[in-house]
């Protein structure tokens, strides 16, 4: 279910090397330390929890009860890692096929819209909200909807994962991060514990998408990330992250049973495909990405999907889909119900007064990069009905609750002292020529 070991698409001229992900490191990136070979059984149990939920939420459990008199809650396996059940008269019922069938109509419609709209850009950059349909429908194919005999045991886990994630993406509220913020959102610094505890998602399932970000950027430490930012990000044969799928509990609290990262890479034939890979929440590479997505969903502002023009008497015809795809509302994600991140830069606060540290070596001589991060307690001025501040925000007469409130705000990566040169030891990458990029 995992891709092969990625290779770097850029060559280091000198200095240290961004670590290539070996199979074990790849697993640790997704699931965290200690998740080497032989330790995957617990993860099946985590996915089974979500599978039980998905079968019920998509309506398949009710269909099993209505058509076959089968109570999904009484299925024989407590974990509900069930792909097929024996119904009345010893008829074997493919649960995965029954669950997938509930989403076949929207899948077919999105696939047709993607054919009318456009093919995904070869570099997976410059994505627009209307591309969500191509990303989502590409997670399934015609074969997934057919009844399976499950004769080949090795195929069962893959079918289970494809059914689970494929259905969940169609149950999910779709979100898109604008291209300029994609790298910052993926490489957001670790959230503090109070911020994690405050995470509340807007929907039971949330799908978040964005332009391609090299997986090595999500894995990089601060120094390596600085090198990648300075060099520019290129999409080659290595895996890239295109987003994630997150779940929440009924009260909106983040469900950390499992998350999923939308990852794409080239296969052995040179064809690009995407898949949702299970990932654990935590302080490892993949876990930090999931928490970064959750923070955006919980605290950021998102614009609602625009209303589409009147589709007319044939709403699913090719000509109608073409009109929608060409419309501003269609390009803005109205057809797919996409919410778009509406980022407003945080307010400028007064400079922090810091005492010079003991033994200071003098003024700063070199600049550096600061990683994107969430900051709690940022002062936000209270405004009246006309949009004017009702009082000071930082001055002496500022009163919390009367003239300002405090919120968590997202700060993109920034050059600290951009007027100064970077350290001469900053590693440099050679950017591949355009002809070397993937198709």
């Amino acid at each position: 279910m995992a891709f092969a070991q990625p290779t770097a698409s850029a060559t280091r001229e000198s200095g240290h090397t961004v670590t290539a992900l070996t199979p074990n490191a790849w697993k640790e990136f997704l699931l965290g330390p200690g998740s080497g070979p032989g330790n995957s059984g617990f993860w099946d149990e985590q996915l089974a929890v979500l599978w039980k939920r998905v079968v019920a939420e998509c309506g398949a459990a009710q269909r099993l009860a209505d058509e076959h008199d089968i109570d999904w809650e009484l299925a024989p396996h407590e974990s509900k890692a069930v792909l097929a059940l024996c119904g009345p008269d010893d008829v074997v019922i493919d649960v995965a096929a029954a669950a997938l069938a509930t989403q076949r109509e929207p899948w077919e419609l999105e696939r047709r819209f993607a054919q009318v709209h456009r093919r995904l850009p070869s570099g997976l950059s410059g994505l627009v909200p209307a591309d969500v349909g191509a990303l989502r429908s590409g997670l399934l194919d015609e074969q997934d909807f057919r009844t399976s005999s499950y004769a080949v045991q090795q195929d069962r886990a893959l079918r289970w994962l494809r059914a689970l994630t494929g259905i969940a993406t169609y149950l999910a509220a779709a979100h898109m991060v604008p291209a300029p913020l994609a790298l910052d959102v993926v490489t957001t610094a670790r959230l503090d514990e109070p911020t994690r505890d405050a995470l509340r998602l807007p929907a039971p399932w949330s799908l978040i998408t964005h332009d391609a970000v090299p997986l090595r950027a999500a894995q990089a430490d601060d120094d390596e990330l600085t090198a990648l930012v300075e060099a520019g990000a290129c999409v080659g044969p290595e895996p890239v992250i295109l987003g994630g799928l997150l779940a929440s509990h009924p009260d909106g609290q983040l469900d950390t049973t499992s998350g999923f990262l939308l990852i794409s890479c080239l296969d052995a034939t040179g064809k690009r495909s995407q898949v949702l890979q299970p990932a654990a929440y935590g302080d490892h590479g993949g876990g930090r990405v999931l928490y970064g997505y959750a923070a955006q969903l919980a605290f950021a502002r998102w614009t609602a999907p625009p209303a589409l023009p009147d589709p007319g008497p044939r709403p699913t015809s090719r000509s109608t889909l073409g009109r929608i795809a060409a419309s501003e509302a269609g390009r803005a994600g109205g057809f797919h119900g996409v919410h778009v991140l509406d980022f407003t830069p945080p307010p400028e606060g007064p400079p922090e007064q810091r005492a010079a540290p003991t033994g200071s070596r003098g003024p700063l001589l070199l600049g550096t990069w600061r990683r994107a991060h969430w900051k709690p307690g940022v002062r936000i001025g209270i405004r009246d009905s006309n949009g004017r501040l009702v009082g000071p925000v930082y001055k002496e007469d500022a009163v919390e609750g009367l003239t300002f409130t405090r919120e968590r705000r997202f700060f993109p990566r920034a050059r600290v002292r951009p007027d100064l040169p970077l350290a001469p030891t900053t590693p440099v990458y050679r950017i591949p020529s355009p002809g070397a990029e993937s198709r």
Side-chain angles (χ1 to χ4, degrees):
M1 291 190 292
F3 289 115
Q5 175 181 346
T7 57
S9 64
T11 302
R12 175 62 63 80
E13 293 268 300
S14 62
H16 59 274
T17 302
V18 175
T19 304
L21 291 180
T22 63
N24 286 353
W26 167 259
K27 201 169 184 180
E28 287 199 1
F29 171 79
L30 292 171
L31 305 180
S35 58
N39 296 331
S40 61
F42 79 97
W43 202 248
D44 295 342
E45 297 175 6
Q46 305 303 313
L47 295 184
V49 172
L50 297 180
W51 176 241
K52 173 186 175 182
R53 170 180 167 177
V54 162
V55 172
E57 290 181 358
C58 74
Q62 186 61 47
R63 183 173 296 183
L64 291 174
D66 294 341
E67 297 179 1
H68 306 286
D69 195 26
I70 294 177
D71 188 337
W72 177 242
E73 292 298 324
L74 299 179
H77 300 285
E78 292 182 2
S79 68
K80 295 299 183 296
V82 180
L83 286 170
L85 289 170
C86 186
D89 302 323
D90 294 327
V91 175
V92 177
I93 301 159
D94 188 340
V95 176
L100 284 162
T102 64
Q103 307 304 316
R104 181 170 188 125
E105 184 176 347
W107 172 76
E108 290 180 338
L109 192 56
E110 279 200 333
R111 189 169 64 161
R112 289 177 59 197
F113 183 92
Q115 293 170 349
V116 172
H117 176 235
R118 67 168 183 173
R119 297 180 62 182
L120 288 175
S122 60
L124 298 175
S125 61
L127 299 181
V128 297
D131 290 322
V132 168
L135 292 173
R136 183 158 52 184
S137 62
L139 295 170
L140 297 170
D141 57 37
E142 186 66 37
Q143 183 64 35
D144 291 314
F145 293 91
R146 298 173 185 170
T147 300
S148 174
S149 64
Y150 298 105
V152 181
Q153 184 171 356
Q154 292 88 335
D155 295 341
R156 298 174 188 173
L158 180 58
R159 177 166 173 78
W160 183 30
L161 178 63
R162 288 176 66 86
L164 167 60
T165 57
I167 295 166
T169 56
Y170 279 98
L171 298 176
H175 300 75
M176 175 161 275
V177 176
L181 286 174
L183 180 61
D184 288 343
V185 170
V186 169
T187 60
T188 297
R190 179 185 181 277
L191 305 182
D192 58 57
E193 290 301 325
T195 298
R196 289 188 182 186
D197 293 340
L199 293 171
R200 297 295 183 273
L201 270 56
W205 292 93
S206 298
L207 175 68
I208 190 166
T209 58
H210 50 70
D211 275 22
V213 174
L215 186 142
R216 59 194 170 111
Q219 177 73 353
D221 61 24
D222 287 350
D223 290 337
E224 293 166 339
L225 181 60
T226 295
L228 292 171
V229 170
E230 287 295 314
C234 289
V235 180
E238 63 176 319
V240 295
I241 300 177
L242 293 170
L245 177 67
L246 293 78
S248 68
H249 294 292
D251 62 356
Q253 186 174 357
L254 179 66
D255 185 346
T256 57
T257 301
S258 173
F260 302 88
L261 293 178
L262 181 57
I263 296 176
S264 174
C265 77
L266 298 178
D267 61 20
T269 66
K271 179 182 178 182
R272 182 170 291 282
S273 60
Q274 60 263 13
V275 67
L276 279 162
Q277 288 276 30
Y281 288 87
D283 292 330
H284 54 283
R288 289 194 301 270
V289 177
L290 288 174
Y291 272 123
Y293 290 153
Q296 294 292 339
L297 292 167
F299 307 126
R301 288 188 289 271
W302 299 81
T303 58
L308 292 174
D310 184 5
R314 301 173 60 199
T316 61
S317 68
R318 186 177 182 84
S319 60
T320 300
L321 295 180
R323 288 198 304 272
I324 294 174
S327 69
E328 182 178 350
R331 292 193 299 272
F335 187 79
H336 309 287
V338 180
H339 302 258
V340 178
L341 182 62
D342 181 12
F343 177 72
T344 302
E348 291 288 342
E352 297 182 16
Q353 300 297 323
R354 296 182 179 178
T358 304
S360 175
R361 291 175 292 181
L364 188 66
L365 300 177
L366 300 169
T368 186
W369 279 96
R370 182 191 63 193
R371 186 182 289 257
H373 63 282
W374 282 89
K375 182 178 180 181
V378 176
R379 294 192 182 197
I380 306 297
I382 297 175
R383 298 179 181 272
D384 60 21
S385 58
N386 296 318
R388 293 190 294 265
L389 290 172
V390 299
V393 179
Y394 287 100
K395 295 180 180 179
E396 184 177 350
D397 295 333
V399 179
E400 186 169 359
L402 294 179
T403 65
F404 72 91
T405 60
R406 297 183 186 272
E407 297 179 7
R408 291 179 173 85
R409 298 302 293 268
F410 182 67
F411 288 76
R413 71 185 187 280
R415 271 289 298 272
V416 178
R417 290 300 303 271
D419 56 309
L420 297 177
L422 290 170
T425 56
T426 299
V428 177
Y429 286 83
R430 180 184 297 113
I431 304 303
S433 61
E437 291 188 1
S438 60
R439 294 185 287 111

